[in-house]
Amino acid sequence: MAHAPAIIPALNLTPTGRLPHAATSQTPPPEPKKDIVPALIGGARVYIECPEWCTVDHVATSERCLADLSHASTFADLHVPTGGREFLFHAALFSMPYAEEDPDSPPHMFVDDERQDGIRLDADGATEFADRLITMAAQVRRMAQALSPSESTPPAPRPTGACPVEWCGQLGPHQGHTSNEVAVQGPNGTDAYLIAELIDIDASGAVHIGFEASEWVGLDAAGLRAEVAKLRAHLPRLEALAATLDTIESNK
């Protein structure tokens, strides 16, 4: 008589292999979503909890014991566009939930250039790594533009009636100074948001940055990703605005 396949629960074990103490009064973080999927362990078909980001076929991998089972996401690779698309590094999510007293047990991001042991990052570290990549990308783009100055967009000529204050965007007679807005257009034709501008309200030389957010808009996952892309493009422009204010203040 065939036995029903076993379901292996995902136990949160301490480094000693024991179950953790009862929850404290602090609100625990939400558990990541998991699916129940088949796996081959020592030739036996069992069912395990698998995080939604995992792309491993646990039947095809057929581990000898449960401690060898691992979860991994799709790899994000970075290549330099040379003739052979030279590989630099890749990053992926990884965990070995049943390997007790192992640094690979908890879910983490693994960054590896295949020439060293690789680096393990938690959620905060992975976020900081992404921020540094964004900053580096902006720096690389500026260097690329410097290599081809003839292809760079020349600065627009100052219009007739422009204010003698270089950064002021107002035309004709005016009392205070305000720069042109740096803003992100809202989704689906709504008002711009994350608006920033330099302001010298009474032309006294006391310059500051005005920063404004606008209305809330409901978005699906694709819409939110589109907004994230706009924000990433927006950050170097905000940094440039801060640099302009630094120059103004240093010249006082």
Side-chain angles (χ1 to χ4, degrees):
M1 180 176 178
H3 295 284
I7 296 179
I8 307 298
L11 297 179
N12 294 319
L13 299 177
T14 64
T16 61
R18 298 174 181 172
L19 289 173
H21 294 294
T24 65
S25 59
Q26 293 181 338
T27 302
E31 288 290 332
K33 293 182 179 179
K34 298 179 181 178
D35 297 320
I36 302 298
V37 301
L40 281 181
I41 305 296
R45 188 180 184 89
V46 300
Y47 284 80
I48 62 168
E49 290 184 334
C50 187
E52 63 176 356
W53 48 260
C54 180
T55 58
V56 176
D57 184 340
H58 295 294
V59 173
T61 53
S62 183
E63 303 294 352
R64 291 182 301 173
C65 62
L66 191 60
D68 294 334
L69 184 141
S70 62
H71 300 297
S73 70
T74 301
F75 281 69
D77 296 336
L78 179 63
H79 297 83
V80 176
T82 58
R85 283 175 51 85
E86 182 178 354
F87 170 80
L88 287 184
F89 68 84
H90 55 222
L93 299 179
F94 187 79
S95 72
M96 297 184 69
Y98 307 109
E100 301 177 13
E101 301 183 7
D102 190 299
D104 285 337
S105 296
H108 60 276
M109 176 177 284
F110 187 73
V111 181
D112 184 19
D113 64 2
E114 297 185 347
R115 292 189 295 270
Q116 57 181 1
D117 293 336
I119 300 171
R120 296 171 177 84
L121 300 173
D122 60 11
D124 291 339
T127 300
E128 181 179 349
F129 179 53
D131 290 340
R132 292 185 180 188
L133 287 177
I134 292 171
T135 300
M136 180 183 178
Q139 294 171 339
V140 171
R141 185 175 295 278
R142 286 195 293 269
M143 287 187 282
Q145 292 172 345
L147 287 175
S148 302
S150 60
E151 299 178 4
S152 302
T153 303
R158 291 178 64 78
T160 303
C163 178
V165 175
E166 183 69 23
W167 55 265
C168 182
Q170 299 185 67
L171 301 177
H174 54 276
Q175 295 181 344
H177 301 295
T178 306
S179 70
N180 295 322
E181 290 183 345
V182 175
V184 180
Q185 178 63 48
N188 303 326
T190 57
D191 292 339
Y193 65 103
L194 292 182
I195 301 170
E197 58 189 355
L198 293 169
I199 299 174
D200 182 357
I201 194 168
D202 54 4
S204 64
V207 186
H208 67 280
I209 293 176
F211 191 84
E212 180 183 358
S214 189
E215 63 191 67
W216 288 93
V217 177
L219 298 173
D220 58 11
L224 180 58
R225 291 190 179 99
E227 299 309 304
V228 170
K230 287 197 287 187
L231 289 174
R232 285 176 177 158
H234 191 54
L235 292 177
R237 299 163 63 198
L238 290 177
E239 291 173 351
L241 203 63
T244 301
L245 181 56
D246 286 337
T247 302
I248 294 171
E249 293 177 339
S250 65
N251 290 333
K252 288 183 180 179

